[in-house]
Structure formats: C-alpha cells, structure tokens
Amino acid sequence: MADIPVWSAENLNLSIGRQIIFDDASVAVMEGERLALVGRNGSGKSTLLKIIAGLEKPSSGDIHIRNNFRTAYMTQDVDFVTDKSIRGVLQEGLEYFEQLLDEYAHISQNSPRHAEIEHILNTCNAWNLENKLDTTLQKLDLNRHCDTPFHLLSGGEKRRVVLGRAIIGEPDLRLLDEPTNPLDVATIGYIEEYLKSFRGSCLLVTHDRFFLDRIADRIIELENGKFFSCAGSYADFLAAKAEARHAEDMEVSRREKFLRREIEWVRRSPKARLKRNMGRIRRFEELSAVQAPVRMGDTELVIPEPERLGNKVVDLIDVSLKFGERTMLDKFNFEFTAGHKVGIIGANGAGKTTLLKLITGELQPDAGQVKVAETVQFNYIDQRRLDLDEDKTVYDEVAGGVDVISLGREKISVRAFLKRFLFEDERINGKVKYLSGGEKARLLLAKVLKRGGNFLILDEPTNDLDLPTLRVLEEALASFNSTLIVVSHDRYFLNRVCNHIIAFEDLGSDAGCGVVSTPGDFDYYMSVRARHLDKLRAVLPQPKTKVEKTVAAVEEKTPEKKPEKGRKLSYREQQELLHMEENIAAAEAELEAIEARFSEPDFFVRHAKEMPAFEAELAAARARVDALYARWAELEG
C-alpha cells in the first residue's frame, strides 16, 4: 500500500441537528488502496462519500486533495430515469477519455500537454473506447443484451451498469455506496473480480463481510464523530477494536482510581490549599473534566421463546409450479424438521420467494402437496418491507394498540422494546417515512420478532442492516430453538446461521433453473456445487449438434443393421450384476444416514473439530454411490 494520500482531511467537523457527524475527525485515503468504511446506520458514512465527491461541505476542517484528482461516485439509489441503453449509460463514464482524445487531436505535438495526454491514454489503454466499452460489458456479464433500455433492467442489472459507469473512466478514487446490495451471489462474484482488476484507490461502504474481506485491505469505522482504522480483514478489525476498547477501559479505570485518591487527599489535608499544592489540585481538576469515551449501545434482538413443534413440521411432496411457460419447481421434495435452519440462495427472480409463498400457503402448487403440521405458527418478514405503514409513528407501528408486549414469560413496554433496537425517543415518536433504510430494517425486525412464532421466515433480512446489528441478529438466530428459513445473498450470514442450503441454480437460458438441497453451510455447498450441477444437467435433454443431426439423417436412409454383440460376461461379473441393485440401495442408505447427521440442528457446533473427517466420510460415500452406478451401466452394456 502506498503512503501517499490522494485525499485527506483534518479537524473535520459537521453536525446535523443534534447529531454530531464529525468531531475534529481526521481521515485519509492512500494511493492505490482499497478502503472499506463501516459504521452504524446514520453515523455519516454516505455523508463522507458526498464530501469527498464534492457534493457536500463540512462545517469546518482542512481538506487536502492531490492535483488533477478525479473521483467517481456510485450512490445507493440506482433507479434513475433515462432513455439510454446499457451501453449508453456505460458510455457516460468515458466522458473524461473522450475529452482527452478530442484535446489530443487539436493540440500541438510539441506541447508538453500533448505528451501528458499520450501518457494517460497509454496507461489507461483508452485509445479505442469502443473496445474498452466492450471489455467492461463482458466483465460485468452485460454484453449479451447491451442494447436493452436501462429502465427495463432488474435492480441487480442496474447496479452492475451503474458500477461499470463509475469505474470505466478509471478515476483516482472510486466511491461505492453499498455496491452489492441487494445482488445475488453470482453477480457479487462478477463485481469482486471486476474491482480487483482495476488500478486506483477505492472507498466503499458495505455490510457484506465476504465482499469486504476479498476487496478491502484496510477498514475504517466512523463512530461518534471519530474514525478508527485497522489494516487487514474484518476479523482483524474486530480484534483491534476490542483491544482498543479494552485499553480505553483500563485508562478510565486508572483515572477513576486516581480521582478517588485525590478526593480523599483534598478532604483530609488542611494544607491542600497551600501554594505548593495548587499544581496537584489543577491536575485533579483537569482529569476530572475528562469525559469517558462515548459508546453506542448494542441492539438487543429479542426472539420470544417459540411454542414446541412436533415431529412433523412442513413436508413438500413432488411440488410443481409453473408461471406461463416458465417452470419454477418440478417435483420438488423437502422435509422441514424442528431445528432446521435452511438458507435459500439463487439469482434474483429464480423462484426463492415463490417457494416461501408455497410453504406459507399464499400460493398453491400446480401438482404435489404441501403438508403443514397443526403446531406450526409461521412468522414471515417480507423482502420488500410491505408490512410498514409510512404514515404511522414508529411507536404505533410496533404497538398495534397495546402498550405492553409479551415476550414469552417476560412483559415489556413498547417504548423499552424499541429502545432495545436503538430507537431513541425522538425517533420513536417520529413517522416511519422519515426513517433511513437501515432504521426501517431494524423497525421491521422489531415488529416481526414481537409476533413470535415457531417457524420463522426471513426474506433478505440483512439488506440495509449495519454490521453491529447483523452480528447480533446472527447470534439471536443461531440460538433460536425452532425452525428457520433465511433467503439471503450474504455468504458470511449463511455460514453463521444455517445448517442446510436450498439453491436455485441457473442451468442455462434453455434449461431454466434447477433446485439443489444439501446439508451444511454455504461454504460446504460451494465445495460440492459442481457435482450437484453435473447431476442436474445430466437429466436434461441434450440438443443435437450439427454432426449428430447429419448422422441421424444418414441413419434414416441406411438399412438397419443388427447390433454387434458385446462380449459375454464372466460368471463373477454375472453375480456382480445380479446383486448390483441391492448394493446400490445399501450404499445410498449409508449416504442418507451420513447426510441426516449433517442435518441435525447442533451438528456443526458439536463436531466443529471433527468436520474434516466427517466431510471426507461424506465425500467417500457419495463417490461409492457414483462408482456403483457407473459400474452398473458398464455391466449392462
């Protein structure tokens, strides 16, 4: 990492109403570094990006900017109105290079500026802008439909286009505000690779910890108007933050001990007011005026104790559903049990929310059955936040006409309940429509978790939540003693919470989606994903190639020949074939027993240290089943 700042600020101050955003804060972005900015919702992260982009100004502070400094700013809001196509919007980001090319064509070759422009265009490979545009479209997987109007795109596609526009001009500093929210795992992968391939500095705001660890080489946190910086991963940041807080607490403890000692001295010493002791008194007064560090409270997510579930929870039996010509599910089977914590992943629009609606009874399948046990009490948090009334106050939205909430055996006032979710009195009495996206996410969690239930369904719960709230939510869900479904693209979140994965996998434009279910967390699913995709594709009808079609046409005209006889099986091979079906059945039963162990609610907690051995055993069992099927096909042939 270079130690040359491209942008820095000292003694930065800004207040909005009673909230202090920056309090004599200092921060710098170094040349070539990828910097992640974290902090609670409303702490001022987006405000800092706007100040760097020149869209806002602080109340005071010294800002230093490198000469000829260029920034590109990607905001959270990508839903703007334009008649341009994907290609047209991306081309807006090439304006700087277009100006350079125009200037280069009209400037004297003997001019120092001519050599300077030539150097920039060579460094950025910007002589052929059409080629640069095509390369960017390909890297973001947008080249197949680059002439599509921007306003017809999905939210994820719009975000990719806007990201490309911010980066294609190769600015000195890229400012990215939540670039992965709310994108699917595959699209986030495109963005990760895209960002890593570009020069220049980057300052990004994100709550995706996998993305943060892969992209950022330094993390800064904005809290109570000050910046805390740490090089390394998110885990390194948490460790450094804990160490810094411990040092602060030790300093506060030492100061309090000193003050108690000095108070006693002042009280008992009649000589305390002598001239030679006045310095000691001044020291006491200075230290007593020092305030302890201000700490933000932690969200306390309260999930009421769920009613007990029986042996049966929800069974999906040969469930099929079509929307027009599109097959969403085809003979899908799954059995939810008590303690199941299932993560559902897949591209936007693949059918994840449709599956949730089938489970809860909002949709009925075209074929098959969804059996829901009588003991099941669903509690469903929707993806689009439709449950919030924008014109109600925060208090009324959660209270629902009562002033006391029952949380199992505990009863608590609505106001105290909301304060556990970090809502102060001013916000509690304000209307929902004035809340930020993160505050609305917290409010919706409070409203949903208040309802209880023993089958909790969360559709994209991590969107707009800050990292401290995410950690608390993960801990609450990990200890939730009942059945849970989480639809999420947050890979870190899925690893911490889930013990089973259902994945909607894109098998190609003609084949549509296939659905895979496997025990384990997200990392385990990714380790076996290729094998599952091969199995899904193996049962698809394969289109004939030109050669195959030609052969088929020739065979139609050629008189039928008797098939050649294969070699005769030996006695041992005949016996092997005779018992093959029962051998396969035994191997599959052994595999199912091993997979069932992975589905146990506390399996990954009890066997954390033995996981490599268990995974090897599972892989060996699956390999044995595959080998038996291959051998069966060989003997039959």
Side-chain angles (χ1 to χ4, degrees):
M1 186 191 305
D3 57 358
I4 303 171
V6 294
W7 187 96
S8 62
E10 296 173 350
N11 308 121
L12 207 60
N13 288 283
L14 179 65
S15 296
I16 300 176
R18 292 187 299 174
Q19 183 185 3
I20 297 174
I21 304 298
F22 305 118
D23 181 16
D24 277 332
S26 296
V27 63
V29 182
M30 301 300 177
E31 183 178 3
E33 79 169 337
R34 297 188 180 101
L35 186 60
L37 174 61
V38 301
R40 291 211 181 265
N41 293 322
S43 62
K45 301 187 296 296
S46 296
T47 302
L48 178 65
L49 297 188
K50 290 174 182 176
I51 288 174
I52 296 174
L55 302 176
E56 291 188 9
K57 292 184 177 180
S59 304
S60 63
D62 299 319
I63 295 177
H64 307 281
I65 305 173
R66 196 176 68 180
N67 290 337
N68 303 317
F69 177 73
R70 290 189 302 120
T71 64
Y73 179 29
M74 176 187 174
T75 66
Q76 289 190 49
D77 182 17
V78 297
D79 206 16
F80 53 86
V81 178
T82 180
D83 293 330
K84 293 183 178 181
S85 65
I86 292 174
R87 194 178 190 89
V89 173
L90 267 181
Q91 198 159 7
E92 292 174 357
L94 292 171
E95 182 180 353
Y96 172 69
F97 291 134
E98 289 172 348
Q99 291 173 354
L100 285 183
L101 286 168
D102 183 63
E103 185 181 353
Y104 185 79
H106 295 89
I107 200 169
S108 169
Q109 293 186 8
N110 298 322
S111 166
R113 177 63 176 161
H114 187 277
E116 181 185 346
I117 294 174
E118 188 172 352
H119 173 72
I120 294 172
L121 294 174
N122 283 331
T123 303
C124 298
N125 192 22
W127 292 102
N128 188 335
L129 297 186
E130 286 299 313
N131 184 57
K132 197 172 186 68
L133 197 57
D134 291 338
T135 302
T136 303
L137 286 166
Q138 186 175 4
K139 283 186 176 181
L140 287 173
D141 195 34
L142 295 166
N143 52 317
R144 289 172 294 179
H145 53 286
C146 61
D147 295 323
T148 304
F150 181 81
H151 67 272
L152 296 180
L153 301 179
S154 68
E157 289 171 324
K158 286 181 179 179
R159 195 164 289 272
R160 268 187 283 167
V161 174
V162 174
L163 175 67
R165 183 181 65 176
I167 294 177
I168 193 171
E170 300 197 36
D172 300 294
L173 176 59
R174 301 180 289 272
L175 305 170
L176 310 178
D177 200 348
E178 294 290 1
T180 65
N181 186 24
L183 302 181
D184 56 73
V185 173
T187 304
I188 293 172
Y190 282 121
I191 291 176
E192 286 174 352
E193 296 305 318
Y194 186 56
L195 285 177
K196 287 193 291 186
S197 68
F198 274 82
R199 295 179 296 272
S201 305
C202 178
L203 174 58
L204 61 96
V205 175
T206 183
H207 70 264
D208 187 328
R209 287 149 293 181
F210 256 62
F211 181 76
L212 186 154
D213 279 344
R214 291 201 64 189
I215 298 298
D217 41 43
R218 183 162 68 99
I219 299 172
I220 56 171
E221 181 184 41
L222 177 56
E223 183 179 30
N224 298 316
K226 302 287 189 183
F227 290 99
F228 175 79
S229 173
C230 174
S233 67
Y234 184 64
D236 295 329
F237 163 77
L238 290 178
K241 186 73 185 296
E243 188 175 336
R245 286 198 166 186
H246 176 70
E248 284 180 349
D249 291 340
M250 293 297 291
E251 180 61 31
V252 169
S253 177
R254 283 194 293 269
R255 187 168 66 246
E256 288 176 347
K257 286 180 181 177
F258 171 80
L259 291 175
R260 283 196 296 270
R261 214 167 39 241
E262 294 301 281
I263 287 172
E264 289 300 318
W265 173 77
V266 170
R267 284 175 178 169
R268 70 172 181 265
S269 177
K271 300 177 181 180
R273 291 178 177 79
L274 293 178
K275 189 174 181 178
R276 64 175 179 270
N277 292 323
M278 293 306 291
R280 186 172 177 179
I281 292 175
R282 279 195 301 272
R283 167 77 174 154
F284 166 76
E285 290 172 346
E286 287 170 2
L287 283 178
S288 61
V290 175
Q291 294 183 345
V294 179
R295 300 273 174 84
M296 290 290 289
D298 281 331
T299 311
E300 186 181 351
L301 298 182
V302 184
I303 304 178
E305 187 68 25
E307 296 287 336
R308 185 179 177 277
L309 285 167
N311 294 329
K312 292 288 184 180
V313 181
V314 175
D315 285 353
L316 281 72
I317 306 167
D318 289 334
V319 171
S320 298
L321 182 68
K322 277 189 174 184
F323 287 150
E325 294 298 317
R326 185 181 178 192
T327 300
M328 306 300 289
L329 291 167
D330 183 23
K331 294 184 178 179
F332 179 65
N333 292 276
F334 196 84
E335 180 181 355
F336 290 94
T337 59
H340 237 149
K341 293 177 180 175
V342 180
I344 302 181
I345 61 174
N348 296 320
K352 305 184 297 294
T353 303
T354 299
L355 177 59
L356 300 186
K357 290 181 177 179
L358 284 168
I359 292 168
T360 57
E362 290 183 50
L363 283 177
Q364 295 301 315
D366 297 332
Q369 290 180 291
V370 179
K371 293 184 177 180
V372 181
E374 293 182 359
T375 55
V376 171
Q377 301 168 6
F378 289 116
N379 192 350
Y380 183 17
I381 175 172
D382 72 303
Q383 180 182 9
R384 299 184 181 274
R385 315 290 191 242
L386 296 178
D387 280 343
L388 294 179
D389 187 335
E390 297 280 311
D391 293 321
K392 283 186 177 180
T393 65
V394 170
Y395 184 93
D396 292 336
E397 184 65 15
V398 170
V402 298
D403 296 321
V404 177
I405 295 172
S406 295
L407 299 174
R409 298 176 182 177
E410 181 186 5
K411 289 191 175 181
I412 185 173
S413 71
V414 172
R415 194 167 294 275
F417 180 72
L418 283 168
K419 286 190 175 182
R420 290 187 177 187
F421 289 81
L422 297 183
F423 287 103
E424 298 301 327
D425 289 331
E426 183 180 348
R427 284 304 204 195
I428 291 173
N429 297 324
K431 289 192 174 182
V432 172
K433 61 185 175 184
Y434 298 123
L435 298 180
S436 68
E439 287 171 324
K440 286 181 180 178
R442 267 191 277 131
L443 176 60
L444 191 58
L445 278 175
K447 183 177 178 181
V448 171
L449 295 178
K450 178 199 76 170
R451 298 199 301 242
N454 53 19
F455 196 127
L456 193 58
I457 301 176
L458 308 178
D459 194 353
E460 297 291 0
T462 64
N463 286 354
D464 300 317
L465 291 182
D466 54 47
L467 291 178
T469 305
L470 267 176
R471 292 202 304 273
V472 178
L473 175 61
E474 287 163 356
E475 290 163 7
L477 294 178
S479 60
F480 180 60
N481 189 27
S482 198
T483 304
L484 167 72
I485 294 178
V486 175
V487 176
S488 180
H489 302 311
D490 189 325
R491 298 157 287 181
Y492 194 100
F493 183 83
L494 291 167
N495 276 343
R496 286 204 64 192
V497 171
C498 299
N499 55 27
H500 206 106
I501 297 292
I502 294 176
F504 286 77
E505 292 287 3
D506 186 3
L507 302 177
S509 56
D510 296 328
C513 278
V515 184
V516 176
S517 67
T518 180
D521 59 14
F522 176 82
D523 280 347
Y524 177 74
Y525 173 71
M526 291 306 292
S527 71
V528 298
R529 177 174 178 261
R531 187 170 57 81
H532 282 293
L533 289 180
D534 288 342
K535 283 188 175 181
L536 286 173
R537 292 187 178 113
V539 299
L540 293 174
Q542 299 297 315
K544 290 183 178 179
T545 64
K546 289 183 179 179
V547 174
E548 288 172 331
K549 288 177 181 177
T550 304
V551 170
V554 171
E555 286 176 346
E556 284 181 8
K557 297 178 182 179
T558 305
E560 186 179 341
K561 294 182 180 179
K562 291 183 180 180
E564 295 181 9
K565 291 183 180 179
R567 73 170 179 83
K568 191 175 181 180
L569 295 178
S570 68
Y571 175 76
R572 180 179 295 176
E573 288 172 330
Q574 289 175 8
Q575 292 300 307
E576 185 182 359
L577 179 59
L578 181 65
H579 298 288
M580 184 59 74
E581 288 191 47
E582 59 189 75
N583 290 340
I584 288 175
E588 287 183 332
E590 181 184 353
L591 175 60
E592 287 176 6
I594 296 171
E595 288 181 335
R597 271 188 284 166
F598 276 79
S599 300
E600 294 170 5
D602 57 348
F603 177 80
F604 292 92
V605 176
R606 288 189 292 112
H607 302 290
K609 294 182 180 178
E610 304 155 274
M611 279 305 299
F614 279 115
E615 288 177 356
E617 182 184 5
L618 181 62
R622 285 172 171 161
R624 175 167 168 72
V625 171
D626 292 342
L628 285 171
Y629 271 110
R631 177 61 173 162
W632 192 15
E634 181 185 350
L635 293 174
E636 286 283 359

